[in-house]
Amino acid sequence: MKQLLLRWLAVMGTGVALAAEPRLLNSLVVIVDQEIITLKDVLQYIAPAVEVITRTYAGQPEVLRQKLQEAERDGVEQLVERKLILHEFERAGYNLPESLIEDRVKERLRERFGGDRAAMTRTLQSQGMTYEAFRRRLREDIIIGAMRARNIGADKIIVSPHKIEKYYAENLDKFRIKDQLKLRAIMLNAGAGRSREAARRLAAEILAKLREGAPFDEMARVYSEDTYRAQGGDRGWIERGDLRKELAEAAFNLKPGQPSEVIEVGDTLWILLVEDARANQIRTLPEVRDEIVQTLQAEEQARLNREWIQRLKAKSFVRYFSS
């Protein structure tokens, strides 16, 4: 484990630099029947996740270490599951048409690379993967998806009304909507390139026009200097915690249709408009029924998957090695 983390920290600057220290990278992690999973296999498999984790937790060394450990453990188990499922596919004597694999390759090429095969090749090379390995991975993904659907597909899981009602009753807080406002905002910079007094004068002019009946969304499209300008300042439905304290206090004291006074926050000036409001409430069961069904199906699928994998392990040889 420690070696894996050190290896990742050493190679992240150059992507998946898996050519370094081949003796370590080729060390055994797991044997599944007659197939081996090496450290290199694990690193390649978790590379996308590790890149995200490293960016997200770059300033938190201890959290980064824990997240990398979790990624390594999850990656090993996922690779073991993949091997077990692929072996079960072979034992059952199933076949996968080559045309299906080719269609999936073309689909991926079109969707991710705009049909540019050279761009796809460059991307694969940067990930330390050959085209043949990429095609093999797609084939395995198709097989695993089909085998999971056959054994634990959502269409095989029936969620009873009683379970739905029970889940709803036991998880009411999950369906609670806090006080919310449908908000629009105009933001002006009072820093570089404009004096605070000039910004205040412009904000006062905008507010005067709004009070005379000028449409808020049109004024926002003309004057607002934030990323919501193109949407007419529309922030959608927001909760108190979504705003800075100064803005939240002003917004939640407005009546729908009423523009705020000019609010100064640091080097910015704001004018807010509440379009609608809804009070703290719990969504009704009919409103959340589909969400509950999806949640319960996912939980049941996870349980069935664990049991299925355990049955596959029971009739296979699986041996783990420390890394």
Side-chain angles (χ1 to χ4, degrees):
M1 178 77 71
K2 190 172 183 180
Q3 289 176 320
L4 174 66
L5 297 175
L6 292 173
R7 173 56 47 203
W8 265 115
L9 293 174
V11 305
M12 279 306 297
T14 55
V16 188
L18 296 174
E21 296 193 27
R23 183 175 179 182
L24 171 62
L25 295 173
N26 291 326
S27 60
L28 289 180
V29 176
V30 191
I31 294 178
V32 182
D33 292 328
Q34 300 299 317
E35 287 196 74
I36 63 171
I37 297 173
T38 66
L39 180 58
K40 179 178 179 180
D41 296 326
V42 176
L43 294 179
Q44 285 183 320
Y45 188 75
I46 67 174
V50 168
E51 289 176 4
V52 173
I53 290 169
T54 304
R55 288 197 303 269
T56 304
Y57 302 102
Q60 305 174 64
E62 183 58 26
V63 177
L64 174 61
R65 184 185 66 81
Q66 293 174 0
K67 294 296 182 181
L68 287 173
Q69 286 178 333
E70 292 171 7
E72 187 268 346
R73 287 194 297 267
D74 290 345
V76 170
E77 288 307 314
Q78 289 173 27
L79 285 173
V80 169
E81 287 191 14
R82 289 175 68 89
K83 296 292 186 187
L84 291 169
I85 295 171
L86 292 169
H87 294 172
E88 182 69 5
F89 177 84
E90 294 171 2
R91 279 194 294 263
Y94 298 134
N95 291 306
L96 185 67
E98 289 297 313
S99 60
L100 186 59
I101 304 171
E102 193 58 37
D103 288 344
R104 186 63 60 86
V105 170
K106 291 177 181 177
E107 179 182 300
R108 190 68 58 86
L109 177 64
R110 182 177 63 255
E111 292 179 351
R112 297 193 181 180
F113 304 97
D116 187 342
R117 188 173 289 271
M120 182 176 74
T121 300
R122 288 194 298 272
T123 299
L124 293 176
Q125 288 175 344
S126 70
Q127 298 172 348
M129 182 179 290
T130 64
Y131 173 78
E132 290 72 21
F134 167 72
R135 197 174 189 280
R136 184 167 60 252
R137 172 73 68 83
L138 283 183
R139 177 181 182 276
E140 292 177 355
D141 289 344
I142 295 171
I143 291 172
I144 291 167
M147 292 292 284
R148 287 192 190 281
R150 180 183 180 87
N151 289 274
I152 57 170
D155 59 332
K156 302 180 184 300
I157 300 172
I158 305 300
V159 179
S160 70
H162 172 69
K163 285 186 177 181
I164 295 172
E165 293 165 4
K166 184 173 183 290
Y167 184 90
Y168 178 73
E170 293 175 350
N171 296 274
L172 287 177
D173 279 347
K174 291 184 178 181
F175 308 114
R176 184 180 299 280
I177 298 175
K178 298 179 180 179
D179 290 343
Q180 291 185 328
L181 300 177
K182 194 171 189 304
L183 189 71
R184 287 186 187 270
I186 295 172
M187 187 275 283
L188 301 176
N189 287 308
R194 176 192 290 147
S195 69
R196 182 171 292 273
E197 285 306 313
R200 285 171 175 163
R201 287 195 297 271
L202 177 57
E205 292 174 10
I206 295 170
L207 183 58
K209 291 180 181 179
L210 290 170
R211 288 174 173 168
E212 291 170 1
F216 194 98
D217 59 337
E218 292 182 10
M219 298 295 285
R221 287 189 179 92
V222 173
Y223 293 106
S224 192
E225 297 172 343
D226 62 3
T227 57
Y228 293 88
R229 176 176 181 169
Q231 291 81 41
D234 186 6
R235 301 299 181 99
W237 287 97
I238 57 98
E239 297 179 1
R240 187 178 293 271
D242 297 329
L243 297 173
R244 291 186 58 163
K245 181 180 178 182
E246 303 92 330
L247 298 178
E249 288 178 353
F252 280 84
N253 282 305
L254 291 173
K255 296 177 181 179
Q258 174 189 0
S260 71
E261 299 292 334
V262 177
I263 308 161
E264 297 192 21
V265 181
D267 290 332
T268 58
L269 276 65
W270 298 79
I271 302 174
L272 309 177
L273 177 74
V274 172
E275 293 188 323
D276 199 358
R278 52 193 182 197
N280 188 326
Q281 59 181 296
I282 295 176
R283 297 161 68 195
T284 65
L285 178 56
E287 290 177 314
V288 299
R289 184 179 296 275
D290 289 346
E291 294 177 30
I292 294 175
V293 169
Q294 291 175 3
T295 298
L296 292 175
Q297 284 182 332
E299 290 178 355
E300 181 64 6
Q301 277 187 298
R303 185 187 68 81
L304 292 175
N305 183 72
R306 288 192 298 269
E307 293 180 353
W308 181 42
I309 295 302
Q310 287 304 314
R311 291 196 300 272
L312 295 181
K313 281 185 175 181
K315 60 181 179 181
S316 303
F317 174 79
V318 181
R319 180 182 176 187
Y320 293 84
F321 297 81
S322 60
S323 59

